[in-house]
Amino acid sequence: MTAPDPATVSIDTLLEELAAGRQHAATLVEHAIARIEALDSRGPALNAITHLAADEARAAAAASDRRRANGEAIGLLEGIPVLVKDNMDVAGWPTTAGSAALVGRVAQRNAPIVARLRRAGAIVLGKTAMHELAAGITGASSLTGFTRNAYALDHSPGGSSSGAAVAVAAGYVPLAIGSDTAGSVRIPAAFHHLYGLRASRGAIPLDGIVPLSPTQDMPGPLTRFGADMARAFAVLADRPYQPVEASARMRIGVLDAWFDRDDDHSADVSSVCMAAVERLAHLGAQVLSIALEDLRRDTDAANVIAYEFAEALAADLAAHADSLADSPVRSLQDIVDRGLEHEQLTPVFSERARHPGTDSPGYQQALAARAALADRLNACFEAQSLDVMAYPTVRQPPTLLGGTQDGSNALLAPVTGFPAISLPAGFDRQGRPVGLELLARPGDESRLFALARAWDEAREGWTPPGGLVVTTD
């Protein structure tokens, strides 16, 4: 019997293979290292990895295999290779957050989510590239340049968790951890035929993560299979794991106004997403149209990133001054003054360095807008007896590498604190992946997981029209 390919199967399948002795953590790690070496820096390099701790991973894998052999307690991710975004602290590793200004910064301790991954038996293999300081969705970085989309090398991978999505899509690992402030997990998931989760506000700790906007930041998993989401969430949120049964028997409210058809590209994306909604209806969902006037305007008004960014970064730099003793950078303004940022980021960094911040009346107005929007969504969920709302994760396909990205719908979840998941809806006419986002009420992640599992089953046998454009052959 041929062993399943670690580059294509689920975490559950790998755990079954490990439990049966047909697979070992050591061989999974070697597979991941070999795939990274083949795809990440040679030929049409994907450029998704910033730090690879191969020897540490090999030692951790050997320890995991010994635990299994000795009959010791087995964690939820025992023996599974995992990658984490480069804004997350791993003791002894660099934390650069994609910024040349943070070169030399080495973490003194593990972020709580990294500690939780390791307690669960995961083999933390290395760190992934990201949009600089998580402040965008195209993957631009003064440290690493651009990560490439694994389905279209000349297109953006999305961001800011660019490398995390590419790493899972390209088969390096079955699970990567990104962070999401305005769509930074779900957008790259949508562009790579993956599942990407943003949990309810406060569900997962932020300590040990370079901040962008502390009241909107949220770590989150990216996986190839929806069935793996509940397990990953249980580890990150430090909650008991209960496998969720597949179910699409829910009331889904479709946000009609967010299915754009302004041009051929948006019409193509919307058609793919509407077909996915129809498929959910075939699986038992009740689908109804929802009209929420001015929702995009109200969502933008509730966004606090611009108010929080410079202050949060300055506080973080001060807290890690010892790691950056040779660097003069102590603020976002310092980065701009010294020209350390990627050129694509100069305008936004310059504007946000001078922003009035959290002491301004505008910040209080944005917080009030956030609370009002959350109340409005809750009222709609209640009045329509909805389980989830549905809309395209991004209304446009990925831009060309180096371009600016339009069409995100992913801000709604961060500003309201509602959980959301991006499902791999299908492919547009150019063979590029499209994501469908599902939004649930706070604390209702289990509904998203049930739908994700149902979607796994619904898409069995689907094959990408083009597939990954790089291989190890």
Side-chain angles (χ1 to χ4, degrees), residues 294-335:
D294 300 320
L295 183 60
R296 190 165 293 132
R297 181 204 64 188
D298 293 347
T299 300
D300 290 340
N303 184 9
V304 299
I305 294 174
Y307 295 95
E308 296 183 349
F309 179 22
E311 291 180 12
L313 179 63
D316 186 74
L317 291 171
H320 295 86
D322 289 347
S323 291
L324 295 168
D326 296 330
S327 170
V329 172
R330 293 294 179 268
S331 67
L332 185 59
Q333 188 64 59
D334 284 346
I335 293 174

Side-chain angles (χ1 to χ4, degrees), residues 177-448:
I177 311 302
S179 64
D180 188 308
T181 307
S184 290
V185 163
R186 291 160 292 138
I187 292 170
F191 288 170
H192 282 90
H193 201 56
L194 301 175
Y195 293 87
L197 174 72
R198 181 188 169 92
S200 304
R201 182 177 291 133
I204 302 172
L206 299 174
D207 298 342
I209 302 175
V210 179
L212 173 61
S213 175
T215 67
Q216 288 186 201
D217 293 343
M218 174 63 63
L222 296 101
T223 65
R224 290 189 288 267
F225 291 86
D228 293 332
M229 271 294 168
R231 181 184 298 273
F233 175 69
V235 171
L236 296 176
D238 196 22
R239 299 183 183 183
Y241 170 59
Q242 295 181 333
V244 177
E245 293 295 323
S247 176
R249 296 188 177 280
M250 301 184 195
R251 282 175 64 86
I252 299 177
V254 174
L255 293 180
D256 287 335
W258 284 24
F259 285 72
D260 281 0
R261 292 174 176 83
D262 295 337
D263 55 45
D264 289 345
H265 294 306
S266 62
D268 195 4
V269 169
S270 289
S271 295
V272 173
C273 286
M274 194 57 72
V277 171
E278 291 170 357
R279 194 157 194 167
L280 287 171
H282 181 73
L283 294 173
Q286 291 181 276
V287 177
L288 60 155
S289 296
I290 299 294
L292 289 171
E293 294 183 2
D294 300 320
L295 183 60
R296 190 165 293 132
R297 181 204 64 188
D298 293 347
T299 300
D300 290 340
N303 184 9
V304 299
I305 294 174
Y307 295 95
E308 296 183 349
F309 179 22
E311 291 180 12
L313 179 63
D316 186 74
L317 291 171
H320 295 86
D322 289 347
S323 291
L324 295 168
D326 296 330
S327 170
V329 172
R330 293 294 179 268
S331 67
L332 185 59
Q333 188 64 59
D334 284 346
I335 293 174
V336 173
D337 289 345
R338 289 165 175 79
L340 295 175
E341 75 283 0
H342 189 281
E343 61 183 3
Q344 190 183 84
L345 297 172
T346 299
V348 67
F349 279 16
S350 298
E351 186 275 329
R352 290 182 177 175
R354 297 189 299 269
H355 201 277
T358 60
D359 289 334
S360 67
Y363 182 61
Q364 296 306 316
Q365 292 167 4
L367 292 177
R370 168 192 288 182
L373 181 56
D375 288 344
R376 186 181 178 199
L377 283 186
N378 271 318
C380 183
F381 269 92
E382 188 70 27
Q384 302 293 337
S385 299
L386 297 179
D387 293 295
V388 300
M389 293 181 181
Y391 44 87
T393 309
V394 190
R395 304 185 303 278
Q396 291 281 342
T399 185
L400 288 170
L401 207 62
T404 57
Q405 182 68 52
D406 295 325
S408 172
N409 284 333
L411 184 59
L412 184 60
V415 300
T416 58
F418 286 36
I421 193 169
S422 183
L423 305 183
F427 298 84
D428 68 14
R429 287 175 291 186
Q430 302 300 316
R432 296 168 300 204
V434 173
L436 176 72
E437 184 158 312
L438 301 175
L439 181 87
R441 298 176 82 170
D444 264 1
E445 282 87 355
S446 61
R447 295 184 193 275
L448 301 178

